[in-house]
mmCIF file of all heavy atoms in Angstrom:
data_model
loop_
_atom_site.group_PDB
_atom_site.id
_atom_site.type_symbol
_atom_site.label_atom_id
_atom_site.label_comp_id
_atom_site.label_asym_id
_atom_site.label_seq_id
_atom_site.Cartn_x
_atom_site.Cartn_y
_atom_site.Cartn_z
ATOM 1 N N GLY A 58 -3.420 2.410 -7.048
ATOM 2 C CA GLY A 58 -2.743 2.622 -8.322
ATOM 3 C C GLY A 58 -3.714 2.579 -9.484
ATOM 4 O O GLY A 58 -3.715 3.463 -10.359
ATOM 5 N N LEU A 59 -4.566 1.551 -9.509
ATOM 6 C CA LEU A 59 -5.559 1.423 -10.587
ATOM 7 C C LEU A 59 -6.579 2.558 -10.529
ATOM 8 O O LEU A 59 -7.013 3.065 -11.570
ATOM 9 C CB LEU A 59 -6.261 0.068 -10.483
ATOM 10 C CG LEU A 59 -5.371 -1.163 -10.721
ATOM 11 C CD1 LEU A 59 -6.169 -2.434 -10.470
ATOM 12 C CD2 LEU A 59 -4.817 -1.163 -12.147
ATOM 13 N N LEU A 60 -6.941 2.946 -9.316
ATOM 14 C CA LEU A 60 -7.894 4.048 -9.151
ATOM 15 C C LEU A 60 -7.331 5.344 -9.739
ATOM 16 O O LEU A 60 -8.048 6.097 -10.409
ATOM 17 C CB LEU A 60 -8.202 4.237 -7.666
ATOM 18 C CG LEU A 60 -9.237 5.323 -7.320
ATOM 19 C CD1 LEU A 60 -10.614 4.946 -7.853
ATOM 20 C CD2 LEU A 60 -9.288 5.544 -5.815
ATOM 21 N N THR A 61 -6.048 5.591 -9.512
ATOM 22 C CA THR A 61 -5.410 6.792 -10.072
ATOM 23 C C THR A 61 -5.406 6.750 -11.594
ATOM 24 O O THR A 61 -5.679 7.767 -12.256
ATOM 25 C CB THR A 61 -3.966 6.919 -9.550
ATOM 26 O OG1 THR A 61 -3.966 6.892 -8.127
ATOM 27 C CG2 THR A 61 -3.328 8.210 -10.028
ATOM 28 N N SER A 62 -5.126 5.577 -12.167
ATOM 29 C CA SER A 62 -5.131 5.432 -13.629
ATOM 30 C C SER A 62 -6.505 5.735 -14.204
ATOM 31 O O SER A 62 -6.636 6.478 -15.187
ATOM 32 C CB SER A 62 -4.706 4.014 -14.029
ATOM 33 O OG SER A 62 -3.375 3.768 -13.670
ATOM 34 N N VAL A 63 -7.522 5.166 -13.604
ATOM 35 C CA VAL A 63 -8.894 5.403 -14.076
ATOM 36 C C VAL A 63 -9.273 6.871 -13.900
ATOM 37 O O VAL A 63 -9.925 7.470 -14.773
ATOM 38 C CB VAL A 63 -9.879 4.490 -13.309
ATOM 39 C CG1 VAL A 63 -11.320 4.835 -13.665
ATOM 40 C CG2 VAL A 63 -9.591 3.022 -13.627
ATOM 41 N N TYR A 64 -8.834 7.464 -12.804
ATOM 42 C CA TYR A 64 -9.148 8.868 -12.512
ATOM 43 C C TYR A 64 -8.589 9.801 -13.584
ATOM 44 O O TYR A 64 -9.316 10.622 -14.155
ATOM 45 C CB TYR A 64 -8.586 9.207 -11.134
ATOM 46 C CG TYR A 64 -8.732 10.641 -10.708
ATOM 47 C CD1 TYR A 64 -9.952 11.309 -10.778
ATOM 48 C CD2 TYR A 64 -7.638 11.349 -10.203
ATOM 49 C CE1 TYR A 64 -10.083 12.623 -10.360
ATOM 50 C CE2 TYR A 64 -7.753 12.657 -9.787
ATOM 51 C CZ TYR A 64 -8.980 13.292 -9.873
ATOM 52 O OH TYR A 64 -9.100 14.596 -9.465
ATOM 53 N N VAL A 65 -7.283 9.676 -13.891
ATOM 54 C CA VAL A 65 -6.682 10.587 -14.877
ATOM 55 C C VAL A 65 -7.205 10.287 -16.283
ATOM 56 O O VAL A 65 -7.368 11.207 -17.105
ATOM 57 C CB VAL A 65 -5.140 10.523 -14.832
ATOM 58 C CG1 VAL A 65 -4.616 11.081 -13.529
ATOM 59 C CG2 VAL A 65 -4.605 9.121 -15.065
ATOM 60 N N ALA A 66 -7.494 9.020 -16.585
ATOM 61 C CA ALA A 66 -8.066 8.679 -17.893
ATOM 62 C C ALA A 66 -9.456 9.295 -18.050
ATOM 63 O O ALA A 66 -9.803 9.808 -19.131
ATOM 64 C CB ALA A 66 -8.136 7.159 -18.056
ATOM 65 N N THR A 67 -10.243 9.270 -16.983
ATOM 66 C CA THR A 67 -11.585 9.862 -17.027
ATOM 67 C C THR A 67 -11.511 11.371 -17.190
ATOM 68 O O THR A 67 -12.281 11.968 -17.952
ATOM 69 C CB THR A 67 -12.362 9.510 -15.745
ATOM 70 O OG1 THR A 67 -12.380 8.084 -15.588
ATOM 71 C CG2 THR A 67 -13.789 10.025 -15.810
ATOM 72 N N LEU A 68 -10.579 12.002 -16.488
ATOM 73 C CA LEU A 68 -10.400 13.453 -16.622
ATOM 74 C C LEU A 68 -10.019 13.827 -18.048
ATOM 75 O O LEU A 68 -10.509 14.821 -18.600
ATOM 76 C CB LEU A 68 -9.329 13.944 -15.648
ATOM 77 C CG LEU A 68 -9.673 13.931 -14.160
ATOM 78 C CD1 LEU A 68 -8.477 14.369 -13.336
ATOM 79 C CD2 LEU A 68 -10.866 14.830 -13.875
ATOM 80 N N HIS A 69 -9.143 13.038 -18.646
ATOM 81 C CA HIS A 69 -8.732 13.289 -20.037
ATOM 82 C C HIS A 69 -9.916 13.168 -20.983
ATOM 83 O O HIS A 69 -10.113 14.013 -21.873
ATOM 84 C CB HIS A 69 -7.619 12.305 -20.416
ATOM 85 C CG HIS A 69 -7.200 12.389 -21.843
ATOM 86 N ND1 HIS A 69 -7.623 11.484 -22.796
ATOM 87 C CD2 HIS A 69 -6.416 13.280 -22.489
ATOM 88 C CE1 HIS A 69 -7.099 11.808 -23.960
ATOM 89 N NE2 HIS A 69 -6.363 12.897 -23.810
#
Side-chain angles (χ1 to χ4, degrees):
L59 295 175
L60 182 66
T61 305
S62 295
V63 173
Y64 176 50
V65 293
T67 305
L68 290 177
H69 175 259

